[in-house]
Amino acid sequence: MNIILLGAPGAGKGTQAEKICEYCHIPQISTGNIIRAAMKNGTDAGKKAQEFVNAGKLVPDAVVIEMVNERLKQDDCKNGFILDGFPRTVPQAQALKEMGVEIDHVIDIEVPDETIMQRMTGRRVCGDCGATYHMVYNPPKVENVCDKCGHELIIRKDDHPDTVKDRLQVYHEQTEPLKGFYENLGVLYVIEGTRAVEEVTKDTLNALGAQSALEG
Ligand code: ADP
Ligand code: AMP
């Protein structure tokens, strides 16, 4: 099953991707996490991406497309994958098609901008594995410690309210047109993303036809 998660920054894509991974046993491919790791490691791609990420802008298509192309060639993607944060522009969606990738489901998680602004102030992420938490809505078991790998949780630089505003504008201008792109292909499912994390997971698994994963 090849899945795309669409939605504004902060809509809950990473949170839901982590759940789907667990239930469906397919990897989460988060371009945000890949880019942050590249920046941390100081790779060429990371250096190219840095100024765009910090300004809340999109990294140039060619840089991100190359990263995804390389990642999808890895063995663990053979039985499917969840793309979280890619594609974010129509040329990225076209590039995915040109790679020969068939998409089975596009889950669009809808959350109004005002709610996003509130969510971002409480977001914490693992500085090592990239897992996502919220201080109130999705807290870790131990304060400031990642449940998955035990590393410290951090605040993302680009979660500053001014940068979030810019990122939302970029989303509306450049990413939202993808809804029409995938609707035309008949694979778009719209999910109400303002409900509790568990409710959104249930709706998402239903849309994927994988609700039995919750029972098993
Ligand atoms: P995205 O990957 O789309 O940028 P995240 O999954 O990181 O978004 O979610 C943004 C923030 O909102 C995180 O702090 C996360 O814990 C929190 N969050 C995600 N889903 C929900 C939800 N359904 N209700 C409340 N908070 C949520
Ligand atoms: P995310 O973790 O998905 O919120 O992404 C964080 C930042 O990484 C974005 O604001 C962009 O600067 C960059 N980024 C992530 N995915 C993409 C993409 N598909 N295209 C361009 N830039 C991206």
Side-chain angles (χ1 to χ4, degrees):
M1 190 149 52
N2 298 339
I3 303 166
I4 290 174
L5 295 184
L6 262 189
K13 302 181 296 296
T15 303
Q16 295 306 324
E18 286 170 31
K19 304 280 179 194
I20 305 168
C21 264
E22 226 173 82
Y23 291 122
C24 301
H25 310 289
I26 49 177
Q28 167 191 12
I29 300 175
S30 155
T31 42
N33 284 352
I34 294 173
I35 291 167
R36 279 184 291 279
M39 282 164 37
K40 198 169 158 188
N41 295 330
T43 65
D44 285 346
K47 283 179 194 149
K48 280 184 204 155
Q50 191 128 18
E51 60 174 301
F52 297 97
V53 175
N54 290 343
K57 297 200 173 117
L58 293 184
V59 171
D61 286 336
V63 177
V64 189
I65 290 166
E66 178 57 24
M67 285 173 166
V68 171
N69 195 12
E70 284 308 307
R71 181 63 186 88
L72 292 182
K73 284 180 193 155
Q74 289 175 21
D75 265 2
D76 63 338
C77 295
K78 270 190 196 145
N79 296 325
F81 48 79
I82 307 156
L83 283 170
D84 156 15
F86 184 94
R88 255 174 157 107
T89 63
V90 171
Q92 290 181 16
Q94 278 159 346
L96 198 57
K97 220 169 150 196
E98 280 155 25
M99 286 174 209
V101 173
E102 293 286 337
I103 297 299
D104 301 301
H105 301 276
V106 178
I107 305 292
D108 168 36
I109 308 177
E110 286 285 326
V111 176
D113 288 6
E114 309 79 70
T115 311
I116 302 272
M117 293 303 291
Q118 290 162 11
R119 276 189 190 177
M120 294 307 226
T121 49
R123 171 151 74 177
R124 298 292 179 272
V125 297
C126 175
D128 198 59
C129 75
T132 303
Y133 300 88
H134 190 282
M135 285 190 331
V136 178
Y137 306 126
N138 189 21
K141 293 192 180 91
V142 178
E143 201 179 328
N144 258 338
V145 177
C146 180
D147 290 351
K148 300 201 166 92
C149 71
H151 282 84
E152 194 188 355
L153 303 186
I154 56 165
I155 300 177
R156 276 171 49 175
K157 262 194 198 159
D158 59 347
D159 278 351
H160 187 280
D162 288 342
T163 316
V164 172
K165 268 190 205 149
D166 293 341
R167 290 165 64 203
L168 281 170
Q169 193 182 343
V170 166
Y171 167 73
H172 292 303
E173 286 171 9
Q174 300 191 55
T175 308
E176 255 191 325
L178 288 177
K179 289 188 207 169
F181 184 96
Y182 287 114
E183 195 170 21
N184 288 339
L185 295 178
V187 290
L188 186 78
Y189 301 79
V190 180
I191 302 278
E192 171 57 67
T194 51
R195 304 163 74 202
V197 171
E198 299 72 28
E199 298 301 317
V200 180
T201 304
K202 264 188 218 161
D203 289 351
T204 304
L205 289 172
N206 265 323
L208 297 175
Q211 56 274 52
S212 59
L214 276 178
E215 291 142 26

